[in-house]
Amino acid sequence: MTDKIALTPKTHTAPPAKFSHGVRKGNILQVAGQVGFLPAEEGRPPTPAGPTLREQTLQTLANVRAVLEEGGASWDDAMMIRVYLTDVDHFAEMNEVYNAYFEQQGLTQPPAARTTVYVGLPAGLLVEIDALAVLN
């Protein structure tokens, strides 16, 4: 039986409840929903990257990537990405930022993706992203 390994990159704070930022079991890695908090600093509470959707989306993608890398994966291993927005009017801007980001990453085979509107994020947060990866 393969062990289940909880993942918390050094850039992330400890989760506020009994969950992990990511979990790897065998060749499957699930990244929990990440938001646009800046890298953790001792004594500083979690801080959003900025007030704009662009700033938060780029930081959120960086946070997802950090969990993927902590588990030995990369964007090329991502099979599914789910994006949760707090405002339906943010779809076009998020798609623009998302497309530019993955173009810069050199991703040639994009993962499946789903975007939905979800209003349950803490105040000030505009986007949450999770990912499922399968490693070779």
Side-chain angles (χ1 to χ4, degrees):
M1 178 173 278
T2 306
D3 289 336
K4 182 169 71 171
I5 302 166
L7 306 169
T8 298
K10 292 177 181 153
T11 55
H12 289 50
T13 58
K18 285 297 216 181
F19 63 86
S20 302
H21 287 289
V23 174
R24 179 172 176 182
K25 184 167 180 161
N27 68 336
I28 297 178
L29 192 162
Q30 176 67 54
V31 178
Q34 301 294 302
V35 294
F37 287 142
L38 293 168
E41 286 185 22
E42 183 88 25
R44 185 185 76 188
T47 306
T52 69
L53 179 67
R54 176 180 179 71
E55 291 167 311
Q56 289 189 28
T57 299
L58 289 173
Q59 186 62 54
T60 301
L61 289 165
N63 293 342
V64 171
R65 181 179 178 174
V67 179
L68 289 170
E69 290 174 350
E70 184 75 14
S74 71
W75 285 119
D76 286 324
D77 298 307
M79 300 296 292
M80 180 68 178
I81 296 174
R82 287 174 293 269
V83 178
Y84 306 91
L85 298 172
T86 59
D87 188 332
V88 71
D89 292 333
H90 288 166
F91 269 86
E93 182 181 359
M94 195 287 301
N95 284 338
E96 181 180 309
V97 173
Y98 179 96
N99 288 340
Y101 175 84
F102 282 113
E103 187 173 314
Q104 289 174 351
Q105 299 299 308
L107 191 65
T108 57
Q109 298 296 320
R114 177 175 196 269
T115 302
T116 190
V117 175
Y118 172 72
V119 295
L121 294 178
L125 294 176
L126 305 173
V127 60
E128 180 177 331
I129 299 174
D130 68 41
L132 174 67
V134 178
L135 292 74
N136 293 329

